[in-house]
Amino acid sequence: MSRRALRRLRGEQRGQEPLGPGALQFDLRDDDDAEEEEPKRELGVWRPGGARKEGVRVNNRFELINIDDLEDDPVVNGERSGCALTDAAAPGNKGRAQRGNTESKTDGDVAETAPPEQSNASGKLRKKKKKQKNKKSSTGEASENGLEDIDRILERIEDSTGLNRPGPAPLSSRKHVLYVEHRHLNPDTELKRYFGARAVLGEQRPRQRQRVYPKCTWLTTPKSTWPRYSKPGLSMRLLESKKGLSFFAFEHSEEYQQAQHKFLVAVESMEPNNIVVLLQTSPYHVDSLLQLSDACRFQEDQEMARDLVERALYSMECAFHPLFSLTSGACRLDYRRPENRSFYLALYKQMSFLEKRGCPRTALEYCKLILSLEPDEDPLCMLLLIDHLTLRARNYEYLIRLFQEWEAHRNLSQLPNFAFSVPLAYFLLSQQTDLPEHERSSAREKASLLIQQALTMFPGVLLPLLESCSVRPDATVSSHRFFGPNAEISQPPALSQLVNLYLGRSHFLWKEPATMSWLEENVHEVLQAVDAGDPAVEACENRRKVLYQRAPRNIHRHVILSEIKEAVAALPPDVTTQSVMGFDPLPPSDTIYSYVRPERLSPISHGNTIALFFRSLLPNYTMEGERPEEGVAGGLNRNQGLNRLMLAVRDMMANFHLNDLEAPHEDDAEGEGEWD
């Protein structure tokens, strides 16, 4: 006999027996009990309100008590109707539910003889549960379709402007060509696509729980190993706003200016340890971090070099003006101000590390960010690099769009990198199988036309390119006067510098067999046009002689930062002979100074021969009236310099004995060694 039948014989019903120590435990039933209870679900204990939910049975008896529902229920004979509902529906409790009735009734007649107040109460509970269920379902649907509803609202707002257009404009046309996406500034976003989120964030998640930083940044992620951030005196102010553009500038406080002066003294000492000492007192001084990063990179400590650059970016991002935006492309920073140059160089160095790390998509966003800060002047000449990063990131549509929008006013086709990269982007786009056939054929025709124009304008690129790709050209090409060695020798030095820069950076993009066969076809087409006397060949030759007389200063600055050996070797002598500082390479001639470094009095300016002699013995000795340098390793004040000098003189005199001096003998050579 089952437990259910035993409870019926004893007159007990589930939910009515007194609570014992183990009453709140789950009742594990056998399969036989479950089969017996299945056809009589109405006899079990369900949630109040009579709403039968399949598979949801109350195991915890305290769930039967719903204060909100019970307060609204009417009182029947001094008891809540909701509590009496289960008693009345139980066949074992007929006597208690219907006192005074002597008729024996079946289970089906119980519901018919129930009081009207009881049925009304159950109906009210049932309606309440249905309302709550509908509310929950509508809330869940709203949360799932929230983004879709927002998009619909935005579409209605755009339609309400009264602009009649056949369809919504594509997303790319609504964004500026230099628009920067925040999520692509984080290299983890790109690495997740390659290796998965578990591999990228596996070691970072516990660290993120431990670190506590109040400010959220986009360019870098603060690390727990960094010193605690305190404002170093770096800030940003809004200069002016005109024509939809906002011009900003970084500012240095008096404390930061003192640290900057100490940094310049440390750089002149040519000792990296002096910069380390300065960073102990000013851990977020930007120029010191960048200069020490270069020193670590030269010593093959790439991890420390990248960490220092990220710390410099974090320091500058914490100083951003509230209106300064990284993504809009409408914020400007004048490179002529020395305070702004540190931000340019920090972004460039971070971009270089990202490219070497294998994140070309993230490096492309940094390149666009640098270019958007001053696109007209382009102080770091990012147009010589953006095509390379775009091709590496396989974002061919963006490169084509940039070329189409800027060719009219920037003459991008006159740069060798754009002249060869844009047709390569068209060709690689035509190789994608997911495009329709007519788009692929159109891209192939456009690529062939542009590469022929590039070969006609820059014939000196072909043979060095084939040599870099380890490809031997046929005799008809190598021996032809147009592509022969004379083409490379006769081009101007400025053009040779641009060609060497492009080949040293992007030659490996042409190594694919399909790309080489396509290039070979177009080379033969150009040779046929040259042999036929095409007037475009002579026009391009005259243009090369006029346009590439001398490279501007921003190109020289870009070559120095790129550190490509072939391009650096082609720099003119007037650039290679001057000293180049890593924290400020080739500063502009029209620099705008907001404060001037105090002049250091040198013994040479006074013409003091004795002081110059002391300085030669002790380089750190300072004269009277000369301001001693504080906070720099090896710096000595006047008293320390005198003490050191006296000790040095005493040591020299200790080794010098007057008794050792003897007069020369008579048999010595005549006229030698006579003493007066």
Side-chain angles (χ1 to χ4, degrees):
M1 185 177 295
S2 63
R3 297 179 184 177
R4 178 78 174 178
L6 289 175
R7 284 197 297 269
R8 288 181 179 178
L9 291 176
R10 295 172 184 172
E12 298 176 356
Q13 181 67 19
R14 180 175 298 179
Q16 297 177 356
E17 63 269 22
L19 295 178
L24 298 181
Q25 297 179 358
F26 288 93
D27 187 11
L28 301 178
R29 298 171 297 163
D30 298 334
D31 296 337
D32 297 337
D33 299 341
E35 292 177 358
E36 292 180 9
E37 292 179 352
E38 183 64 23
K40 300 179 181 180
R41 289 182 180 175
E42 67 275 10
L43 302 180
V45 181
W46 299 88
R47 294 184 182 272
R52 300 178 180 180
K53 299 181 181 179
E54 294 295 330
V56 182
R57 186 176 294 274
V58 178
N59 293 322
N60 188 350
R61 292 173 175 82
F62 288 102
E63 290 184 7
L64 295 173
I65 303 175
N66 192 336
I67 298 176
D68 297 334
D69 295 340
L70 294 179
E71 288 179 354
D72 297 334
D73 293 339
V75 179
V76 180
N77 298 329
E79 295 181 359
R80 297 286 181 182
S81 61
C83 296
L85 182 63
T86 55
D87 295 339
N93 298 329
K94 292 180 181 179
R96 285 176 293 183
Q98 302 177 5
R99 292 187 177 95
N101 294 338
T102 58
E103 299 180 3
S104 61
K105 298 180 180 179
T106 59
D107 297 346
D109 298 331
V110 175
E112 297 177 359
T113 59
E117 295 87 359
Q118 202 170 5
S119 60
N120 293 337
S122 63
K124 186 175 181 180
L125 287 174
R126 189 177 296 107
K127 290 180 181 179
K128 275 198 170 187
K129 291 301 179 181
K130 287 183 179 179
K131 289 181 180 179
Q132 293 178 0
K133 183 179 180 182
N134 294 335
K135 286 182 180 180
K136 290 181 180 179
S137 61
S138 61
T139 306
E141 293 176 358
S143 61
E144 292 177 359
N145 302 330
L147 296 177
E148 184 178 357
D149 295 340
I150 292 174
D151 294 338
R152 292 177 181 175
I153 293 172
L154 292 177
E155 289 178 1
R156 293 173 185 174
I157 294 174
E158 292 177 357
D159 295 338
S160 63
T161 57
L163 298 177
N164 296 325
R165 53 182 182 272
L171 184 61
S172 59
S173 63
R174 289 182 289 178
K175 294 181 180 179
H176 193 268
V177 69
L178 296 180
Y179 176 81
V180 178
E181 298 184 14
H182 272 144
R183 63 189 184 93
H184 288 304
L185 289 174
N186 188 0
D188 292 341
T189 304
E190 186 172 3
L191 292 175
K192 288 176 187 177
R193 292 188 304 168
Y194 301 150
F195 308 106
R198 186 181 299 274
V200 175
L201 300 178
E203 299 180 357
Q204 298 181 9
R205 285 172 181 170
R207 297 179 184 176
Q208 290 179 355
R209 297 190 190 117
Q210 295 176 2
R211 66 176 174 86
V212 179
Y213 283 90
K215 189 174 181 62
C216 178
T217 55
W218 291 105
L219 296 176
T220 57
T221 302
K223 300 179 181 179
S224 59
T225 57
W226 291 356
R228 181 175 296 275
Y229 178 78
S230 60
K231 294 183 178 181
L234 188 65
S235 61
M236 178 186 284
R237 67 186 178 98
L238 176 63
L239 299 179
E240 59 178 348
S241 297
K242 60 181 180 180
K243 297 181 180 180
L245 301 177
S246 301
F247 296 85
F248 297 87
F250 283 97
E251 286 186 333
H252 295 171
S253 64
E254 294 184 0
E255 180 183 359
Y256 197 93
Q257 291 179 16
Q258 296 297 329
Q260 187 72 13
H261 299 331
K262 297 175 183 178
F263 165 73
L264 296 176
V265 174
V267 171
E268 292 175 356
S269 67
M270 304 297 291
E271 179 60 42
N273 292 331
N274 294 340
I275 302 178
V276 175
V277 174
L278 177 60
L279 285 176
Q280 293 177 356
T281 57
S282 302
Y284 286 94
H285 184 258
V286 177
D287 286 342
S288 299
L289 292 170
L290 296 179
Q291 190 71 18
L292 189 60
S293 174
D294 290 339
C296 294
R297 187 165 52 86
F298 294 150
Q299 296 178 0
E300 302 298 333
D301 192 354
Q302 301 294 333
E303 186 68 24
M304 178 59 69
R306 183 170 64 249
D307 185 80
L308 293 172
V309 171
E310 291 179 357
R311 199 199 303 182
L313 282 175
Y314 177 73
S315 176
M316 304 197 79
E317 189 173 0
C318 291
F320 280 175
H321 192 274
L323 299 179
F324 184 79
S325 174
L326 294 172
T327 61
S328 63
C331 297
R332 300 289 183 264
L333 285 176
D334 194 350
Y335 192 80
R336 294 177 299 173
R337 297 180 178 272
E339 297 87 352
N340 296 340
R341 296 173 197 166
S342 302
F343 188 56
Y344 279 89
L345 296 175
L347 289 175
Y348 187 93
K349 294 178 186 297
Q350 178 71 355
M351 178 192 63
S352 301
F353 284 124
L354 290 171
E355 182 186 3
K356 295 176 182 177
R357 192 181 175 185
C359 301
R361 184 67 179 86
T362 311
L364 175 62
E365 295 299 317
Y366 274 84
C367 183
K368 290 160 58 178
L369 175 58
I370 298 173
L371 186 58
S372 67
L373 296 178
E374 200 170 359
D376 295 332
E377 299 296 332
D378 194 8
L380 299 186
C381 209
M382 303 310 296
L383 288 177
L384 299 178
L385 178 62
I386 191 170
D387 62 297
H388 170 75
L389 296 176
T390 306
L391 290 176
R392 285 200 59 189
R394 300 181 180 180
N395 196 354
Y396 311 127
E397 294 84 355
Y398 176 77
L399 179 59
I400 294 172
R401 180 192 170 199
L402 178 64
F403 178 76
Q404 292 175 351
E405 294 187 10
W406 284 25
E407 168 63 17
H409 64 282
R410 300 296 292 269
N411 294 325
L412 297 181
S413 59
Q414 304 305 313
L415 296 174
N417 59 311
F418 268 92
F420 283 86
S421 295
V422 173
L424 181 59
Y426 272 110
F427 174 75
L428 295 176
L429 193 63
S430 67
Q431 299 296 309
Q432 296 182 357
T433 57
D434 56 343
L435 292 178
E437 183 62 29
H438 66 280
E439 293 185 7
R440 294 170 57 187
S441 60
S442 176
R444 181 68 177 261
E445 294 176 0
K446 190 69 174 178
S448 300
L449 177 62
L450 291 177
I451 193 61
Q452 292 177 16
Q453 294 178 0
L455 291 171
T456 305
M457 183 64 189
F458 307 104
V461 178
L462 180 61
L463 291 184
L465 175 61
L466 297 178
E467 183 179 358
S468 300
C469 296
S470 302
V471 175
R472 180 181 299 177
D474 53 6
T476 57
V477 175
S478 59
S479 61
H480 199 279
R481 59 178 179 82
F482 188 72
F483 288 118
N486 188 32
E488 183 180 359
I489 298 174
S490 60
Q491 61 187 4
L495 181 57
S496 299
Q497 185 176 349
L498 294 176
V499 170
N500 292 329
L501 183 66
Y502 173 70
L503 294 178
R505 177 178 284 155
S506 305
H507 68 275
F508 64 91
L509 298 174
W510 295 81
K511 287 186 175 182
E512 294 294 330
T515 306
M516 275 296 167
S517 61
W518 166 72
L519 178 62
E520 183 181 3
E521 295 175 2
N522 290 278
V523 167
H524 289 290
E525 292 290 337
V526 173
L527 287 180
Q528 293 178 5
V530 171
D531 295 337
D534 191 351
V537 177
E538 185 177 358
C540 291
E541 184 178 357
N542 296 332
R543 199 182 309 164
R544 286 196 301 270
K545 295 179 181 179
V546 174
L547 294 179
Y548 306 98
Q549 295 295 330
R550 179 176 176 82
R553 195 173 183 84
N554 60 342
I555 292 182
H556 294 160
R557 190 180 298 117
H558 178 86
V559 171
I560 293 174
L561 290 174
S562 66
E563 299 180 357
I564 297 177
K565 297 179 180 179
E566 297 83 0
V568 173
L571 287 173
D574 59 339
V575 177
T576 56
T577 54
Q578 59 179 311
S579 59
V580 178
M581 296 296 180
F583 66 94
D584 190 9
L586 297 182
S589 57
D590 54 348
T591 300
I592 301 176
Y593 293 101
S594 58
Y595 62 94
V596 183
R597 179 188 177 190
E599 296 182 359
R600 299 181 61 200
L601 300 177
S602 62
I604 301 177
S605 61
H606 293 283
N608 193 335
T609 307
I610 299 176
L612 181 60
F613 170 71
F614 289 163
R615 176 79 68 173
S616 63
L617 294 177
L618 295 173
N620 293 321
Y621 170 73
T622 56
M623 288 293 297
E624 183 179 1
E626 187 176 357
R627 183 178 179 180
E629 300 297 338
E630 299 177 357
V632 179
L636 302 175
N637 56 22
R638 182 173 180 270
N639 295 331
Q640 291 175 338
L642 287 175
N643 294 336
R644 294 283 184 87
L645 181 61
M646 295 302 296
L647 291 175
V649 172
R650 187 179 63 182
D651 293 340
M652 293 172 58
M653 295 302 296
N655 298 326
F656 185 79
H657 302 283
L658 293 177
N659 296 331
D660 295 340
L661 296 177
E662 297 180 356
H665 297 282
E666 296 179 355
D667 54 353
D668 289 340
E670 295 181 359
E672 293 182 2
E674 293 184 359
W675 292 85
D676 295 333

